Amino acid sequence: MFFTYLRRELRRRRKAALVVASGLALGIALVIVVTSVSAGMGKAQDKVLQSLYGLGTDMTVTKAAAPTASSSDRPRFRFDAQDNDSDAEQSTDRVMVQGFETLSAATVATVGEQSGVADAAGGLSLRVIKINGQFTRGQFRQGESGGSGGGGRQRGEAGGSARPQGEVQGGGADFDVDNYSVYGADVTEPELGPLTSSTISSGRTFKTSETDGKVAVVDSAYAKEKSLKVGSTLTISGVTFSVIGIATADSGDAAANVYIPLAQAQTLADAKSKVTTIYVKATDSQKIDSVKATIQKNVSGTTVTTSADLADTVSGSLSTASSLAADVGKWLSIAVLIAAFLVAGLLTSSAVSRRVREFGTLKALGWKSGRVTRQVVGEAVVNGLLGGALGIALGLAGAYAVTAISPTLQAQLGAGAGVGGGQGGPGGGGFGRRAAARTLDVALTAPVSVTTVAVAVALAVAGGLIAGAFGGWRASRLRPADALRRVE
C-alpha cells in the first residue's frame, strides 16, 4: 500500500518532484566539483613538491645557521702566463659547497636513531664553476714619427727619452664560463634523496656497491645541452667520471645537473665526512610533526623542514587557486547545499499545505499521523535520491570537463623557498635548497573518488529527510475535521 500510493503520488506530481530534485542536484553537483578540484589541487601541489624533494622523503634536516660566504670562500682562478708563440688553451674549475654550511656525516646516524624515524640519508650539494679558454698574443706595429722639425726632438729631450710610435693590434682573451650543480648521493640509500624524483630514461642508476665509484648520472636537459650520453665521460676538477645513466625529472626542473656518489663529492669539495642535507623518512606519515619536534629537540644546531613547511613557500596561480578551492569554494558549496535543502523543505511543506484535504480524508479513513508522516517523508526521500542521481551525473560531467580541459596553473618557487637553511642553489637538492626564482607549469585535473560519490549519496538522502521532516511535521498537525472543512 505504501509503495503503491508513493508511486502514484510521485507520478501525479512530477513537476513538483522535479523542481525539488533539481535544487538538490545543483547543490550536490557543486559539492562534487569543488571536492574533485580540491583533490586535483592537492595532486598538483604534491607534483610541485616532488620536484623539490625526493620520493619517500618526509622531511629534511639542515644546519640551523644562516649561510654566509667569507672572502676565502670566493672562487679564485689562476692562469699561467705562456711565454711562447703558441696560444695554448687553459682550463680550471672550482668546486664549492652550496650554501657554505655543512653538517657532520655523523649527524645522519644521530637523526636516524631518533624515535619515529624509519630511515635517514645524507647528501652533499655542490656548485662547480669551470672556466676554459685561451689568451691570444697581440702584435705590436711600429708607426711613423709624429711630425717634422725640432718639435719631436724637443719633446724627446724634455721627456728624457723618445718613445717609439706604434700600437698593439689583436690579442686578448676568450674564455667560456660553465656553471652547473652536482649532487653527492648516498648510493646505499636509493629510496631517499632528490634523485628519486627523476626517472632513469637511459642507462641505469647507481649500484649500492659504487660508494666510491667514478660514475655519474646526468640530468637529461643538461645531457642534451652538453651532448652527453651513456658511456660519455665528464671531468670535474680533474677527476673523470663515466656517465652510466640519464635521468629525466618527473616534474619541473631536476634537483641537480649531475649526480655522483657522496664520497666522490666530499673529496672534490674537500668536505670529508660532511653533508649539506639529511633526508628523513618517518615510520608514520601521520606523526611527522612529532618526529620533527623530536629531532629539533635532540639534534642541536639543525633546522627541520617538512613538506607542509615547503608548501607554504609555493606561490603563483596554483597557490591562489588552491586557496580559493579550499576556502571560497568550500563555503560556497556549503551555502548552496544549505539553500538547496531549505528550498526542498519549503517546497515539500508547501506541497503538504496544498494536500490538506487529501491528508484530512486519509486521517478520516483511519490513517494515523505517523503513517501520514512516513508517506510524506518517503516521497521526499525519493525526490532526494532522484536529485542525488542527477547531481552525481552533473558533478561527474563537471569534473570530467575540468580534467579534459586541464587548465595550466603556475607554481612559482622563489628565492624564499629555502626555508630549510638555504643549502644549495638551483638544483641544490632537497627541502633545504634556496632555489632561484623559477616557475613550474602544472596541469590541473579533477579526480573523483568513491568517497566523494558516497558523500553525494549521503547528502541526497539527508536532503530528502530534511525536506520530509518539514512536510511531515505539517502533515502530522492536521486534524481530520479541520482539513475536510478547507477547500483546495
Side-chain angles (χ1 to χ4, degrees), residues 332-386:
L332 177 62
S333 61
I334 291 175
V336 171
L337 196 62
I338 292 175
F341 284 177
L342 290 176
V343 169
L346 292 174
L347 289 175
T348 303
S349 179
S350 176
V352 169
S353 67
R354 292 195 298 271
R355 299 167 63 186
V356 169
R357 191 178 184 88
E358 173 191 341
F359 292 137
T361 302
L362 292 174
K363 281 194 170 187
L365 292 174
W367 280 41
K368 301 295 184 180
S369 294
R371 186 174 181 182
V372 173
T373 300
R374 287 194 299 272
Q375 192 67 46
V376 174
V377 172
E379 295 176 12
V381 170
V382 172
N383 288 335
L385 292 176
L386 180 62

Side-chain angles (χ1 to χ4, degrees), residues 202-204 228-233 242-246:
S202 178
R204 63 175 178 84
L228 297 173
K229 59 183 180 180
V230 175
S232 300
T233 58
S242 175
V243 178
I244 60 171
I246 305 296

